[in-house]
């Protein structure tokens, strides 16, 4: 099965007393939702950056479908935390950006943009300027833009961090419905334990100083949503609540006090 494979990857930035990532081993399948959670500073963004090919590990290897990753590639597209949209372009033009760069013909481009805007529920604002959108709508544009290029992997770094709880829940449902419609592997970084449990087919729990993988859990709440259970019902499920609490204590216990944070 196509996958991204991380083998014994470590990242040690100059001037840091400990590695930011230490001996990371991970397989990311192209048909699941891999969620990475861990305390601030444990190296989540650094891990996403090596998956994206923005930085190369100090030691170890990363490969996508057996090919070593040494640069960004069209098989892996990134959705950033801040929406990173072009304010001088309208919604549809922003969604078309990656397709323009890829040299996609005009007819395909228009079809793809219309389809992706429908999938994220923004078909009625295609002509609107970016500044006229809410934060949640901007993130939808960023996701539509990433999906438009039909990439094998969609990498998201805390895409909903700046959204209110209600909008965030809508975005969680959106991710699940997009996952149902696309045959892509999703990788999502979050600070939100409930979000992690709900969306992950595979949950990667990280610890800091040095940044490392503590535990990997295979979960089925996203599958259960696919089979018709509601989000609210799943979040109230007894084992879900128990898991949420145990993860909370694991993450809190691993969070360094401010004075322990290594620079
Ligand atoms: N380019 C860099 N040069 C030096 N140090 C870096 C660089 N990038 C990240 N770091 C350090 O690596 C550590 C991990 O950073 P990273 O951004 O990956 O953490 P994170 O888990 O994403 O945190 P957060 O949850 O706050 O976003 C931090 O101590 C950070 O200062
Ligand atoms: Mg980060």
């Amino acid at each position: 099965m196509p996958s991204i494979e991380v083998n014994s990857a470590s990242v040690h930035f100059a001037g840091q007393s400990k590695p930011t990532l230490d001996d990371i081993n991970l397989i990311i399948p192209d048909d699941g939702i891999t969620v990475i959670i861990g305390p601030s500073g444990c190296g989540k963004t650094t891990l996403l950056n090596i998956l994206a090919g923005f930085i190369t590990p100090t030691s170890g290897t990363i490969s996508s479908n057996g090919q070593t990753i040494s640069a960004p590639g069209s098989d892996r597209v990134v959705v950033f935390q801040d929406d990173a949209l072009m304010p001088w372009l309208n919604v549809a033009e922003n969604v078309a950006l990656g397709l323009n760069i890829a040299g996609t013909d005009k007819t395909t481009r228009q079809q793809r943009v219309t389809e992706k805007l429908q999938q994220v529920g923004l078909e009625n604002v295609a002509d609107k300027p970016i500044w006229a959108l809410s934060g949640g709508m901007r993130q939808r544009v960023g996701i539509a833009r990433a999906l438009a290029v039909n990439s094998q992997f969609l990498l998201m770094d805390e895409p909903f961090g700046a959204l209110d709880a209600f909008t965030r829940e809508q975005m969680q449902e959106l991710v699940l419905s997009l996952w149902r419609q696309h045959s892509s592997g999703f990788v999502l970084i979050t600070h939100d334990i409930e979000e992690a449990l709900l969306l992950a087919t595979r949950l990667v729990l990280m610890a800091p100083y040095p940044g490392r993988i503590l535990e990997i859990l295979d979960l089925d709440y996203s599958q259960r949503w696919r089979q018709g259970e509601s989000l609210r019902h799943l979040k109230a499920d007894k084992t879900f609540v128990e898991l949420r609490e145990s993860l909370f204590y694991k993450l809190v216990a691993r969070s360094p006090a401010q004075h322990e944070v290594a620079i």
Side-chain angles (χ1 to χ4, degrees):
M1 193 195 354
S3 60
I4 300 180
E5 290 193 25
V6 185
N7 289 307
S8 306
S10 297
V11 173
H12 200 152
F13 291 114
Q16 296 274 13
S17 57
K18 290 189 179 172
T20 291
L21 291 176
D22 186 31
D23 194 26
I24 302 292
N25 290 286
L26 185 63
I27 294 179
I28 296 171
D30 76 341
D31 63 351
I33 306 181
T34 303
V35 176
I36 301 167
I37 192 166
S40 187
C42 73
K44 302 180 295 295
T45 297
T46 306
L47 177 54
L48 194 100
N49 283 340
I50 61 175
L51 297 176
F54 296 149
I55 58 173
T56 42
T58 319
S59 60
T61 57
I62 319 283
S63 58
S64 172
N65 305 324
Q67 302 282 322
T68 301
I69 292 174
S70 54
S74 58
D75 56 328
R76 291 157 278 127
V77 64
V78 179
V79 178
F80 295 98
Q81 174 170 15
D82 48 359
D83 49 52
L85 301 175
M86 307 300 157
W88 60 91
L89 300 177
N90 70 22
V91 168
E93 289 163 346
N94 265 282
V95 174
L97 264 181
L99 297 169
N100 290 340
I101 294 166
T104 311
D105 67 83
K106 194 174 172 197
T107 315
T108 314
R109 210 164 60 216
Q110 283 172 341
Q111 278 170 354
R112 200 81 67 75
V113 168
T114 306
E115 179 189 300
K116 296 305 155 191
L117 285 176
Q118 275 168 356
Q119 286 175 353
V120 300
L122 292 182
E123 62 274 30
N124 297 327
V125 296
D127 301 332
K128 286 258 186 317
I130 293 302
W131 53 260
L133 304 185
S134 68
M137 289 162 101
R138 287 178 197 208
Q139 271 308 2
R140 285 172 193 257
V141 177
I143 292 173
R145 181 175 66 190
L147 289 171
V149 295
N150 280 345
S151 182
Q152 197 173 16
F153 294 97
L154 186 73
L155 312 177
M156 296 179 270
D157 191 355
E158 299 201 45
F160 316 136
L163 304 179
D164 64 85
F166 178 66
T167 310
R168 195 170 182 134
E169 193 158 297
Q170 291 178 328
M171 297 301 280
Q172 292 164 359
E173 201 135 37
L174 176 71
V175 167
L176 288 169
S177 75
L178 292 173
W179 176 55
R180 186 168 54 192
Q181 294 168 66
H182 291 80
S183 49
S184 305
F186 287 19
V187 179
L188 183 126
I189 292 177
T190 182
H191 269 117
D192 187 307
I193 297 174
E194 228 180 41
E195 181 168 290
L197 285 171
L198 187 75
L199 299 184
T201 53
R202 176 166 292 172
L203 179 57
V204 180
L205 197 65
M206 291 184 66
Y209 310 112
R212 60 201 186 277
I213 294 176
L214 207 59
E215 207 174 326
I216 296 179
L217 298 171
D218 289 318
L219 298 168
D220 69 350
Y221 296 105
S222 44
Q223 292 288 2
R224 284 169 57 179
W225 181 87
R226 267 186 173 184
Q227 285 154 10
E229 284 189 61
S230 77
L231 219 72
R232 298 247 48 98
H233 183 255
L234 289 168
K235 287 184 179 181
D237 178 276
K238 187 166 171 286
T239 55
F240 185 96
V241 173
E242 283 167 6
L243 254 176
R244 190 188 68 201
E245 293 308 293
S246 82
L247 278 192
F248 179 81
Y249 286 107
K250 272 183 199 167
L251 289 172
V252 166
R254 296 280 170 176
S255 294
Q258 209 53 43
H259 64 270
E260 291 173 332
V261 173
I263 303 293

